[in-house]
Amino acid sequence: MKHLMLICLFFVMLALGACCKGGSGGNATLNLSVFHHAKPIPGATVYIKYNATEFPGTDASSYSDHKTAAGNSNTLTFTGLHCGDYYLYGVGFDSSLTLPVTGGVHYQIKYSDRNHTESTNVPVTE
């Protein structure tokens, strides 16, 4: 009986882990804001890499998707995400310094079994 319970627990843990592979097709929404030293960066583009915890590099083709903040906004949204790991890489221009700025951050969505929204900042630097 104890052996059977351990096997059942193993399959439950396996099933829970399998559902948390970052990617599209889920119910989570991720709102992002791009900042350079607390200054909003309007019109920034954020690239997202599914199932990634480390920086995949600067090549846009290495990423799963991307969005660009509209107009004077520094915010953008990815919808329909599963729970899991994502790497977010932001690219923009700081007009006060007249310099391009880039940077990234790992982000983990822990739940996507219901419609919900999470928010985070994408820090960029020169």
Side-chain angles (χ1 to χ4, degrees):
M1 181 70 174
K2 186 176 181 180
H3 186 67
L4 180 61
M5 287 179 57
L6 287 174
I7 291 173
C8 289
L9 180 62
F10 171 76
F11 282 111
V12 168
M13 296 297 285
L14 184 64
L16 289 174
C19 73
C20 282
K21 293 192 178 204
S24 62
N27 295 317
T29 297
L30 184 56
N31 291 326
L32 305 173
S33 299
V34 182
F35 288 96
H36 178 234
H37 301 300
K39 181 182 183 283
I41 302 299
T45 298
V46 174
Y47 297 89
I48 187 169
K49 176 75 173 177
Y50 302 156
N51 283 322
T53 58
E54 296 183 15
F55 179 50
T58 60
D59 182 2
S61 67
S62 299
Y63 291 84
S64 309
D65 197 2
H66 72 282
K67 304 276 182 182
T68 300
N72 289 327
S73 175
N74 73 318
T75 62
L76 46 106
T77 302
F78 288 95
T79 59
L81 299 174
H82 281 290
C83 60
D85 291 302
Y86 297 88
Y87 195 88
L88 308 166
Y89 176 62
V91 177
F93 188 80
D94 188 331
S95 59
S96 67
L97 299 175
T98 62
L99 289 172
V101 288
T102 63
V105 65
H106 164 254
Y107 189 81
Q108 184 180 59
I109 296 175
K110 294 187 180 176
Y111 306 101
S112 68
D113 58 342
R114 62 192 184 284
N115 291 330
H116 76 284
T117 300
E118 299 185 21
S119 301
T120 193
N121 293 334
V122 179
V124 292
T125 189
E126 44 305 314

